[in-house]
Amino acid sequence: MEVPGRWQDIDYLLLREGAMVGPGFEPCPELREALHNDLRILVIGAGGLGCELLKDLALSGFGNIDVIDMDTIDVSNLNRQFLFRMNDIGKSKAVVAAEKVMQRVKGVKVVPHYGRIEEKDDEFYRQFQIIALGLDSLEARSYINSVVCSFLEYNADGSPDITTIIPMVDGGTEGFKGHARVIIPGVTPCFYCTLGLFPPQVTYPLCTLAETPRSPAHCIEYVHLIQWGQERSGDSFDADNPEHMKWIFDEAFKRAQQFNIPGVTYSLTQGVVKNIIPAIASTNAIISAACALEALKIATMCCRSMDNYMMYMGTQGVYTHTLSHEKDAGCLVCSPGVPFEVDISISLQKFMELLMDDPRLKDKLSKPSISYQKRNLYMQAPPVLEEMTRPNLNAHLFELMDKSSGKLNVNDKKLTGVLRVSVSFRGQGDVVVDMDTAGGG
Ligand SMILES: [Zn+2]
């Protein structure tokens, strides 16, 4: 039975007009039903952010949620990953989180997927209308960004085809800092457009570590990177071996005393060596709430989306700031494609050599496979396909592309998604323009 007043707060948003509503929003009770019955959302990650996200989404009226996570529950998760208990240790995070949310929020269906995000194919990701990311690694974000952006297609006028867009809401936390952002492929910057936002991992120059340490971390890194190799070269260092960690701590402590540096503790030693940033439950809660709200806005249009990146800082007081980052027009992942102007006489083989040598694609390709629309022009693998497509290498690219400019899709082991290449042929531009004006006149 439905608890009276259960949807009151959501209804305030869905049943009333407002100055900030999104385009095409019409307040009506059917919105809540659609949110509950029709819309499918995927939550990636069932850790600190993921637990919060699942709870927030379920309580906001999302009725069909999938969750994917490859991890099992560890005792150290229990202080903040509040869906898990002592007797869940060792079980799949996704499975347990799904069960717990379904127990607590009546009527919601949560489907767990225990495994790696890379194991799922494109069809899996295409089922969802929204994807919410509660991840802690750049690699995983980058991967899913590439997959979702590879679904994106552009109309002839260069605008994104909205039927191919799957919006993403991304949250991230690091200690007392966090961010929430909305990625609408083709419309707002994708993860790759703004890769520069993520600072490189902290590293220290070796000379500082060796000669002029100034912080406890310098002392710890010295023992970890230099002294271990000098004094225990027979042992390969294992960060999960308590005896190894204790040795690093003891030596770092002695070194810190020599240089009169206070603050070397065992937990700091673990933090520096394993690169651990403490996770804070309240930061996760705030960031997840922002992400769930953005998902609700996208799903119902009850309000315009955040534009497009909110950062949160809770180190001293509480501070948030929202910035509108710009798309990178030449982004390899979400833009209409890297432009290539080539001669009509070029063979596919020659074109592939051009691709490999192009400075814009430096170090991005190793063995590219190329397709045009639904046709494979050249596949590096499997051997059967390679053999079938090999004759195309000597064919003219112009013929293979039906004598018109267009987009090629390039796949490569080194890429996580599809690289779009926009090919035009010298002397052909005029022909295309002529046809366009003929149609318009
Ligand atoms: Zn991009």
Side-chain angles (χ1 to χ4, degrees), residues 12-32:
Y12 280 141
L13 297 171
L14 302 187
L15 299 183
R16 301 193 299 186
E17 271 292 354
M20 300 291 287
V21 299
F25 174 74
E26 282 186 31
C28 61
E30 287 77 20
L31 273 174
R32 173 151 55 74

Side-chain angles (χ1 to χ4, degrees), residues 24-165:
F25 174 74
E26 282 186 31
C28 61
E30 287 77 20
L31 273 174
R32 173 151 55 74
E33 283 163 32
L35 188 65
H36 195 269
N37 301 329
D38 306 331
L39 186 123
R40 290 190 65 190
I41 184 166
L42 173 67
V43 174
I44 302 187
L49 276 171
C51 282
E52 291 281 349
L53 266 171
L54 288 167
K55 172 259 291 172
D56 290 345
L57 292 170
L59 291 173
S60 303
F62 287 82
N64 293 289
I65 306 172
D66 284 50
V67 57
I68 179 165
D69 196 303
M70 61 181 275
D71 282 342
T72 53
I73 297 161
D74 184 79
V75 68
S76 65
N77 304 144
L78 301 185
N79 69 336
R80 62 194 183 283
Q81 299 177 19
F82 61 91
L83 295 172
F84 310 140
R85 296 290 177 272
M86 212 57 184
N87 55 7
D88 297 323
I89 288 170
K91 296 180 193 163
S92 149
K93 286 188 178 181
V95 171
V96 175
E99 276 169 16
K100 295 286 168 69
V101 170
M102 285 193 286
Q103 277 166 20
R104 294 289 288 271
V105 185
K106 292 288 171 251
V108 66
K109 195 172 119 209
V110 186
V111 179
H113 305 270
Y114 174 34
R116 305 174 63 87
I117 52 175
E118 297 88 347
E119 285 164 8
K120 297 289 183 186
D121 59 10
D122 287 358
E123 291 318 303
F124 173 78
Y125 293 107
R126 274 187 213 269
Q127 306 171 72
F128 302 99
Q129 283 82 53
I130 303 175
I131 298 181
L133 314 183
L135 289 164
D136 58 4
S137 91
L138 295 190
E139 290 75 23
R141 276 200 189 86
S142 191
Y143 177 82
I144 203 74
N145 179 71
S146 300
V147 171
V148 173
C149 288
S150 74
F151 301 155
L152 176 67
E153 284 171 27
Y154 282 87
N155 297 316
D157 66 358
S159 63
D161 173 353
I162 55 166
T163 61
T164 63
I165 295 176

Side-chain angles (χ1 to χ4, degrees), residues 100-350:
K100 295 286 168 69
V101 170
M102 285 193 286
Q103 277 166 20
R104 294 289 288 271
V105 185
K106 292 288 171 251
V108 66
K109 195 172 119 209
V110 186
V111 179
H113 305 270
Y114 174 34
R116 305 174 63 87
I117 52 175
E118 297 88 347
E119 285 164 8
K120 297 289 183 186
D121 59 10
D122 287 358
E123 291 318 303
F124 173 78
Y125 293 107
R126 274 187 213 269
Q127 306 171 72
F128 302 99
Q129 283 82 53
I130 303 175
I131 298 181
L133 314 183
L135 289 164
D136 58 4
S137 91
L138 295 190
E139 290 75 23
R141 276 200 189 86
S142 191
Y143 177 82
I144 203 74
N145 179 71
S146 300
V147 171
V148 173
C149 288
S150 74
F151 301 155
L152 176 67
E153 284 171 27
Y154 282 87
N155 297 316
D157 66 358
S159 63
D161 173 353
I162 55 166
T163 61
T164 63
I165 295 176
I166 301 180
M168 286 179 282
V169 179
D170 173 47
T173 68
E174 208 179 74
F176 287 105
K177 291 185 288 187
H179 78 262
R181 68 188 295 186
V182 173
I183 297 177
I184 301 179
V187 181
T188 70
C190 80
F191 183 71
Y192 199 82
C193 288
T194 56
L195 253 194
L197 285 179
F198 292 87
Q201 273 197 339
V202 184
T203 53
Y204 308 105
L206 281 181
C207 56
T208 303
L209 298 183
E211 289 152 30
T212 51
R214 292 182 304 278
S215 73
H218 287 161
C219 302
I220 296 164
E221 281 291 47
Y222 175 81
V223 177
H224 172 215
L225 298 175
I226 299 168
Q227 198 174 333
W228 180 277
Q230 289 169 347
E231 296 180 24
R232 301 187 59 166
S233 56
D235 274 344
S236 75
F237 177 72
D238 174 9
D240 292 320
N241 182 329
E243 189 271 320
H244 289 188
M245 195 59 87
K246 176 81 170 40
W247 190 88
I248 301 274
F249 164 64
D250 289 340
E251 294 301 316
F253 191 83
K254 282 186 224 159
R255 185 169 170 79
Q257 277 184 325
Q258 278 171 29
F259 288 93
N260 224 346
I261 298 169
V264 174
T265 61
Y266 187 73
S267 66
L268 182 71
T269 307
Q270 279 184 307
V272 171
V273 171
K274 291 179 148 186
N275 227 321
I276 298 172
I277 294 143
I280 312 279
S282 56
T283 312
N284 284 341
I286 290 165
I287 295 301
S288 299
C291 291
L293 184 61
E294 290 307 315
L296 183 71
K297 290 180 190 176
I298 293 169
T300 64
M301 286 289 167
C302 68
C303 180
R304 287 196 290 272
S305 289
M306 168 204 295
D307 180 26
N308 46 46
Y309 187 103
M310 186 273 282
M311 59 181 196
Y312 162 78
M313 271 175 281
T315 333
Q316 289 172 325
V318 169
Y319 172 76
T320 74
H321 183 62
T322 303
L323 304 103
S324 178
H325 283 299
E326 282 184 26
K327 251 189 348 163
D328 174 359
C331 176
L332 293 181
V333 177
C334 73
S335 74
V338 185
F340 264 85
E341 202 194 21
V342 293
D343 213 77
I344 288 180
S345 63
I346 197 170
S347 67
L348 180 59
Q349 172 97 52
K350 266 267 169 286

Side-chain angles (χ1 to χ4, degrees), residues 346-356 370 378 390-397 400:
I346 197 170
S347 67
L348 180 59
Q349 172 97 52
K350 266 267 169 286
F351 176 73
M352 286 175 62
E353 288 166 18
L354 274 185
L355 269 187
M356 297 290 290
I370 304 209
Y378 183 67
R390 199 183 305 152
N392 283 343
L393 286 176
N394 292 321
H396 287 147
L397 183 63
L400 294 170

